[in-house]
């Protein structure tokens, strides 16, 4: 007779990595959201944060959260459907809709819940979701929770998208789902081509812009970056990146948002976002709207590092944004590289199979507006030393 826990004995890879001293996950950071951090008593340049605009350390954002705590307390203790909606929620709904150029928006407690609730609410049993192969896991989970059917197309391959759509029954409701900026590759979705194909097949479009909001299009996201806001049906964003908080939102037409509001189980059956988090979001939004220097600086920092890493001889894939992956290849070697960079004072995020294809493990680096030249140069020196020692780059490479 099978025991549910039999599978536990087969899962050994994490313990093996721990024994070798190269296990990178679930290890504690302190002071982790600035340009530098403390990792197990070592000062490191933080290249592993999604805090793109550096606003988690902005005094105005912190003060807004503190004041909201004093006024509203630490929790709303209820769902937005009932007692959990505050005036702050409604203000955030209105302002975020206006910010991304849509009629209405709806704030959820996490980004994951936003996609889970929106997708599962909209897809019925006769509907088909067509997802990019690299679309975030919460989008896949949203489809699986719905009664709809899921199809996939090759990453950023518009010809494959057209092929998949051509095989979907004409009478089926169709929702094409893409990330605006892909969280591992740092590349944009080719929205102009995707929009044209969706028009051809009467498909709706949802853009998960978790990593684009606050960064692309002057902060207004990937749809704004391409000038296609009016032609994208749904725009999703999160607060745990550029907005210095946690939570997420979906924006679209008023009718669609009204429907999602009354059918998204992850909204209706979860406690609402607390006031301190909302206040932080609103303060961050104030800064993004009035101080474009933050967005400009993160792009400047990213371009400096992209050029520097390529000059050293690293493969940064097709990165176009402040997310810059560095190809290492073999999984074990990736762990060694991560550990060696830590020793040199640089924190990165290792990404290994199955999150990547076999032999394409990488280090994910990301950049923030509060990185200074000295931080970036320190990181490049570390990448050069480690790269040479582990034969990742040509011996003659120099910063």
């Amino acid at each position: 007779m099978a025991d549910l826990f039999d599978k536990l004995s087969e899962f050994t890879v994490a313990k093996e990595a721990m024994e070798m001293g190269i296990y990178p996950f679930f290890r504690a950071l302190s002071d982790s959201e600035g340009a530098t951090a403390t990792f197990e008593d070592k000062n490191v340049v933080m290249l592993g944060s999604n805090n793109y605009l550096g606003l988690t350390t902005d005094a105005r954002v912190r003060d807004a959260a503190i004041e909201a705590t004093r006024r509203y307390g630490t929790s709303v203790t209820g769902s937005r459907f009932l007692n959990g909606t505050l005036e702050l929620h409604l203000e955030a709904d209105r302002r975020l809709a206006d910010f991304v150029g849509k009629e209405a928006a709806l704030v959820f407690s996490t980004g994951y819940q936003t996609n889970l609730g929106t997708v599962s609410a909209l897809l019925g049993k006769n509907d088909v979701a067509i997802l990019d192969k690299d679309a975030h896991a919460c989008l896949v989970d949203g489809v699986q929770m719905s009664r709809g059917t899921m199809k996939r197309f090759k990453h950023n391959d518009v010809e494959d998208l057209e092929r998949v759509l051509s095989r979907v029954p004409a009478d089926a409701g169709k929702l094409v789902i893409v990330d605006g900026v892909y969280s591992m590759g740092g590349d944009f979705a080719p929205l102009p081509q995707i929009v044209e194909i969706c028009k051809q097949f009467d498909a709706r479009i949802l853009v998960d812009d978790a990593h684009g909001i606050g960064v692309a299009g002057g902060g207004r996201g990937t749809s704004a970056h391409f000038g296609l806001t009016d032609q994208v049906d749904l725009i999703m964003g999160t607060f745990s990146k550029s907005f210095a908080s946690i939570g997420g939102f979906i924006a679209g037409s008023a009718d669609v948002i009204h429907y999602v509001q009354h059918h998204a189980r992850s909204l209706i059956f979860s406690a609402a976002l607390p006031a301190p988090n909302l206040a932080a979001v609103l303060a961050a939004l104030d800064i993004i709207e009035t101080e474009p220097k933050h967005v400009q600086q993160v792009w400047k920092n990213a371009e400096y590092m992209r050029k520097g890493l390529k000059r050293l001889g690293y493969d940064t894939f097709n990165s176009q944004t402040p997310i810059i992956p560095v190809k290492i290849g073999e999984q074990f070697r990736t762990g060694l590289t991560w550990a060696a960079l830590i020793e040199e004072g640089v924190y990165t995020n290792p990404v290994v199979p199955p999150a990547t294809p076999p032999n394409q493990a990488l280090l994910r680096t990301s950049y923030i507006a509060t990185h200074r030249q000295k931080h970036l140069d320190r990181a490049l020196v570390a990448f050069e030393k480690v790269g040479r020692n582990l034969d990742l780059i040509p011996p003659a490479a120099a910063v």
Side-chain angles (χ1 to χ4, degrees), residues 57-73:
T57 56
D58 190 290
R60 294 165 292 181
V61 175
R62 290 184 172 188
D63 287 346
I66 291 167
E67 288 304 313
T69 303
R70 290 194 177 107
R71 177 176 176 183
Y72 295 99

Side-chain angles (χ1 to χ4, degrees), residues 21 67 73 84 93 135 154 183 186 207-208 226 230 235-236 252 260 331 378 381:
E67 288 304 313
D93 291 342
K154 297 174 185 176
S183 62
V207 176
D208 175 346
F226 287 108
D230 292 341
I235 297 171
M236 178 270 183
V260 171
Q331 182 171 340
R378 180 179 164 191
V381 168

Side-chain angles (χ1 to χ4, degrees), residues 124-142:
K125 65 179 181 179
N126 296 319
D127 300 325
V128 179
I130 304 94
L131 280 69
D132 186 289
K133 284 276 191 181
D134 286 2
H136 195 273
C138 60
L139 295 163
V140 175
D141 292 350

Side-chain angles (χ1 to χ4, degrees), residues 83-127:
N83 67 296
T85 294
L86 302 172
E87 292 176 356
L88 285 176
H89 288 96
L90 301 181
E91 180 183 354
D93 291 342
R94 289 191 298 268
R95 288 194 58 191
L96 288 163
D98 183 65
F99 181 66
V100 300
K102 290 298 182 184
E103 284 185 344
L106 183 63
V107 168
F108 286 68
S109 298
T110 69
Y112 184 97
Q113 289 175 296
T114 306
N115 278 333
L116 201 70
T118 299
V119 172
S120 61
L122 290 174
L123 291 175
K125 65 179 181 179
N126 296 319
D127 300 325

Side-chain angles (χ1 to χ4, degrees), residues 187-379:
D187 48 338
F188 283 111
L191 271 187
Q193 298 95 318
I194 290 171
V195 164
E196 289 306 310
I197 291 170
C198 288
K199 288 179 181 177
Q200 179 183 346
F201 291 95
D202 294 323
R204 300 292 186 173
I205 308 171
L206 186 158
V207 176
D208 175 346
D209 222 13
H211 294 271
I213 293 291
V215 175
R220 286 173 167 78
T222 303
S223 300
H225 172 80
F226 287 108
L228 293 170
T229 297
D230 292 341
Q231 298 181 61
V232 167
D233 297 290
L234 290 163
I235 297 171
M236 178 270 183
T238 56
F239 305 144
S240 55
K241 283 83 177 174
S242 296
F243 284 81
S245 186
I246 192 169
F249 71 95
I250 191 72
S253 70
D255 286 345
V256 172
I257 298 306
H258 177 78
Y259 183 88
V260 171
Q261 186 175 25
H262 290 85
H263 290 82
R265 293 165 68 87
S266 64
L267 178 85
I268 295 169
F269 297 104
S270 291
L273 195 65
N277 298 100
L278 286 162
V281 169
L282 292 169
L285 183 55
D286 287 338
I287 294 168
I288 294 169
E289 289 181 319
T290 59
E291 298 179 9
K293 64 180 181 180
H294 302 283
V295 175
Q296 294 164 2
Q297 187 62 47
V298 71
W299 283 96
K300 181 179 178 181
N301 289 347
E303 195 54 35
Y304 181 84
M305 285 299 295
R306 191 167 10 253
K307 289 179 179 178
L309 288 165
K310 287 181 178 180
R311 187 169 62 247
L312 287 172
Y314 284 104
D315 181 353
T316 59
F317 296 87
N318 295 316
S319 169
Q320 302 164 280
T321 67
I323 300 167
I324 305 178
V326 178
K327 183 178 178 180
I328 306 299
E330 195 270 326
Q331 182 171 340
F332 176 74
R333 204 177 195 195
T334 302
L336 287 178
T337 306
W338 172 83
L341 284 169
I342 290 290
E343 288 302 309
E344 296 300 321
V346 176
Y347 186 98
T348 63
N349 290 314
V351 185
V352 299
T356 69
N359 297 316
Q360 290 200 38
L362 58 89
L363 295 176
R364 180 190 186 272
T365 71
S366 52
Y367 300 89
I368 62 179
T370 51
H371 279 135
R372 297 293 174 253
Q373 188 79 41
K374 63 180 181 180
H375 302 129
L376 304 179
D377 287 339
R378 180 179 164 191

